[in-house]
Amino acid sequence: MNMFNILTTKKMNTLKINNLELTYKNGHQAIRNISLEIKNGMFGLLGPNGAGKSSLMKTIVGLQKPSSGTIEFNDIDVVSQTEYIKKNLGFLPQDFGVYPKVNAYDLLNHIAVLKGINNKVERKNQIQYLLEKVNLWHFKDKEVHTFSGGMKQRFGVAQALLGNPKIIIVDEPTAGLDPEERNRFNTLLSDISNEVIVILSTHLVEDVKNLCSEMTIMNKGQILKTGRPKALITELQGKIWSKSINNEELEFYLTNFNVISQQLIERQLQITVFSPEQPEGFYSIEPLLEHVYFNVLSQNN
Ligand SMILES: Nc1ncnc2c1ncn2[C@@H]1O[C@H](COP(=O)(O)OP(=O)(O)OP(=O)(O)O)[C@@H](O)[C@H]1O
Ligand SMILES: [Mg+2]
């Protein structure tokens, strides 16, 4: 049984975004005509720096208003009714800012009060349950600003889960974590996502590959491709080719082929290209999610 059964209901949740646009005061258009429909499970928002991931997330959680378009959560317009999403939301922002000098337990208690959990016993139960879940119960009396990066991120998840949210939005949560912490963190999110919507933004293909049932690739404020990771990989079957080349030849291949990656393998330069047909001298390789990502980015540059 999923341990989060006691915190969440099993209802299917839906987030519908339609024709969303956002232009900042300085004239920069950070979101361009985005439409998405997201249901329970883990949804990966993948894109390079500056793609607009944080802009999109901050707009969904109601921290900023879109210039146009609609956002509905379980059929309620949350652009006009921000309280509805705030009540049902857990948010782990990319930049949490400075932690006050209070211990983990007291900080969670404070946030729980702000989230409207007025019953003292219920607050205590939830805080203990969540601190145990994120492996921080042992550190409940330690001040959060003294935590390691991984511990801070797990604390961030605990605060996001207070109040039984139906939608959890985490903005680049694994950035700066070592592989072991990243694994632990990802497993935690994956556990939760059976019964709620979890939207995870990242620039790491690896995180999406291992965790997300559905994903979208965005860049320059636009959605470039959406689907299930496996299906997107299958689309590339028989279209990814590789070849070892000399450094001097690189220019030629960059100009004449759709090169999606280049890497040095034992000091030999190897390029991977996208092509519907086998280019001469290339051998076929199995497509990976990395190829999906770099192919989509390169075709939309
Ligand atoms: N408050 C703001 N005012 C003006 N421009 C902004 C503002 N916030 C972000 N931008 C710009 O909008 C674009 C998208 O930024 P955003 O932070 O959403 O990208 P991101 O995908 O989250 O990037 P990263 O992976 O680096 O976190 C960038 O060009 C950024 O400079
Ligand atoms: Mg960001």
Side-chain angles (χ1 to χ4, degrees):
M1 189 181 113
N2 185 320
M3 288 178 69
F4 275 81
N5 279 351
I6 65 158
L7 283 181
T8 55
T9 53
K10 280 202 170 174
K11 188 178 166 287
M12 182 53 84
N13 298 291
T14 313
L15 180 73
K16 279 187 207 148
I17 299 172
N18 269 313
N19 307 110
L20 200 71
E21 305 256 348
L22 173 73
T23 304
Y24 284 116
K25 284 202 183 82
N26 66 359
H28 182 82
Q29 197 178 353
I31 302 178
R32 294 164 184 265
N33 197 24
I34 284 186
S35 297
L36 284 171
E37 182 167 326
I38 302 175
K39 292 188 180 295
N40 285 12
M42 199 125 154
F43 186 91
L45 182 59
L46 183 63
N49 291 137
K53 304 182 294 298
S54 297
S55 297
L56 179 59
M57 292 183 138
K58 284 192 257 177
T59 311
I60 296 170
V61 304
L63 286 174
Q64 55 197 20
K65 286 247 182 265
S67 313
S68 61
T70 58
I71 307 172
E72 287 176 5
F73 182 60
N74 294 344
D75 294 324
I76 291 179
D77 168 9
V78 294
V79 176
S80 59
Q81 299 183 50
T82 39
E83 332 74 57
Y84 181 72
I85 193 131
K86 281 188 180 144
K87 191 166 155 265
N88 291 293
L89 174 90
F91 182 43
L92 176 55
Q94 185 167 8
D95 183 9
F96 215 94
V98 184
Y99 283 97
K101 290 196 170 177
V102 285
N103 71 41
Y105 190 99
D106 290 347
L107 188 51
L108 279 187
N109 192 51
H110 176 70
I111 297 169
V113 171
L114 291 180
K115 281 197 174 180
I117 310 168
N118 296 321
N119 184 305
K120 213 171 167 180
V121 178
E122 192 192 333
R123 262 202 320 269
K124 184 174 166 288
N125 288 344
Q126 274 203 33
I127 292 170
Q128 174 162 0
Y129 173 77
L130 288 171
L131 282 175
E132 280 170 358
K133 181 71 188 164
V134 301
N135 277 324
L136 289 175
W137 179 245
H138 192 61
F139 300 99
K140 67 180 178 5
D141 299 322
K142 235 176 119 125
E143 293 184 3
V144 182
H145 69 97
T146 67
F147 282 1
S148 74
M151 289 162 79
K152 275 186 188 142
Q153 288 303 66
R154 282 188 273 125
F155 178 84
V157 171
Q159 66 76 27
L161 287 174
L162 278 170
N164 310 339
K166 297 189 182 108
I167 174 165
I168 295 161
I169 297 188
V170 288
D171 197 357
E172 302 224 26
T174 62
L177 299 191
D178 68 33
E180 199 185 329
E181 277 287 13
R182 213 172 106 209
N183 264 340
R184 202 176 332 189
F185 185 86
N186 283 342
T187 311
L188 176 63
L189 282 186
S190 160
D191 265 6
I192 301 161
S193 69
N194 287 327
E195 287 153 27
V196 296
I197 295 177
V198 177
I199 306 179
L200 165 91
S201 90
T202 181
H203 57 262
L204 300 173
V205 178
E206 189 88 8
D207 286 342
V208 172
K209 180 165 61 193
N210 297 336
L211 294 169
C212 299
S213 46
E214 191 83 19
M215 66 180 284
T216 194
I217 298 172
M218 78 177 287
N219 198 15
K220 297 177 187 161
Q222 283 176 304
I223 297 293
L224 303 178
K225 189 112 193 163
T226 303
R228 301 178 77 81
K230 273 203 183 120
L232 299 181
I233 292 170
T234 307
E235 277 180 20
L236 290 186
Q237 204 79 46
K239 294 175 186 161
I240 302 296
W241 314 91
S242 223
K243 185 185 188 180
S244 292
I245 61 162
N246 296 323
N247 283 347
E248 313 81 68
E249 296 174 303
L250 182 61
E251 191 73 35
F252 169 80
Y253 285 101
L254 288 176
T255 327
N256 293 289
F257 288 82
N258 192 346
V259 177
I260 56 177
S261 79
Q262 33 178 307
Q263 56 181 150
L264 271 180
I265 296 175
E266 291 176 0
R267 299 172 72 197
Q268 175 82 54
L269 189 58
Q270 188 161 334
I271 56 169
T272 302
V273 303
F274 168 85
S275 164
E277 266 108 51
Q278 180 167 21
E280 207 180 315
F282 282 77
Y283 56 90
S284 167
I285 60 168
E286 274 301 304
L288 304 168
L289 198 58
E290 278 81 357
H291 299 143
V292 173
Y293 180 50
F294 292 114
N295 186 43
V296 165
L297 289 185
S298 77
Q299 294 196 349
N300 289 281
N301 249 332

